[in-house]
Amino acid sequence: MRAGLRNSDSFEHKASLKIINGQAFFKSGATWIDVTATLTSTGVLGSSTFYDGREGKTVTAREIDVSKLNTSAYWPTNGILYTKDTQSGSNLKATRLINGSTLKAGFTVASDNPVYTKGNYNSVNKKPAAVLADAYTVLSGSWVDGNS
């Protein structure tokens, strides 16, 4: 991970799981471990593309399956996930949380990009939760990307 963060109180600095430009890093003690391959192969981390009519743009989203993250070894130990995508391209970059009706524990998602949730989020055995983003959009459970 990069050194010299300007704000030690930022969620980027405090997060124990980060997804930056499609690469996932988990903080174990003082060491950052690249867990991209594991999160991708277990279906926690994926990608999707859909059209956002409100924005008038095609969205390329890093998709996080919260139900699978709940049971993975890489649930953020302090409950903070930070995402950021600065890769080039004309599509709007975003994070999308799916299958998030149940959270393992308190969970904060912070992103420099827009965040979308698809379907119910934190609706079963509710836990303290926050989504902090450039923009936040709720998509219904019946949302179909191809019909957007």
Side-chain angles (χ1 to χ4, degrees):
M1 300 301 326
R2 56 177 209 201
L5 290 174
R6 292 182 295 248
N7 182 354
S8 62
D9 290 329
S10 71
F11 283 103
E12 179 180 8
H13 179 74
K14 291 182 175 187
S16 56
L17 178 62
K18 297 181 186 185
I19 300 171
I20 311 270
N21 294 329
Q23 289 188 281
F25 300 94
F26 179 78
K27 190 171 187 179
S28 177
T31 304
W32 285 99
I33 303 165
D34 185 338
V35 295
T36 308
T38 301
L39 293 185
T40 301
S41 68
T42 58
V44 172
L45 182 61
S47 64
S48 59
T49 302
F50 55 92
Y51 184 76
D52 183 330
R54 185 180 63 80
E55 290 288 337
K57 295 181 180 178
T58 299
V59 177
T60 299
R62 302 288 174 195
E63 197 160 77
I64 300 163
D65 188 319
V66 177
S67 68
K68 291 178 181 176
L69 180 61
N70 284 339
T71 60
S72 84
Y74 301 113
W75 174 269
T77 52
N78 64 359
I80 301 173
L81 165 66
Y82 175 79
T83 70
K84 181 177 186 175
D85 196 329
T86 60
Q87 293 179 318
S88 63
S90 60
N91 292 355
L92 179 65
K93 306 301 185 265
T95 297
R96 181 161 70 173
L97 306 172
I98 62 169
N99 301 321
S101 61
T102 301
L103 303 178
K104 176 179 181 174
F107 192 42
T108 297
V109 177
S111 181
D112 288 354
N113 303 102
V115 172
Y116 295 76
T117 53
K118 181 180 175 188
N120 292 335
Y121 187 77
N122 194 27
S123 58
V124 177
N125 299 321
K126 296 178 183 179
K127 305 285 192 249
V131 176
L132 310 166
D134 177 59
Y136 176 61
T137 303
V138 177
L139 303 172
S140 79
S142 60
W143 172 270
V144 177
D145 290 345
N147 296 340
S148 57

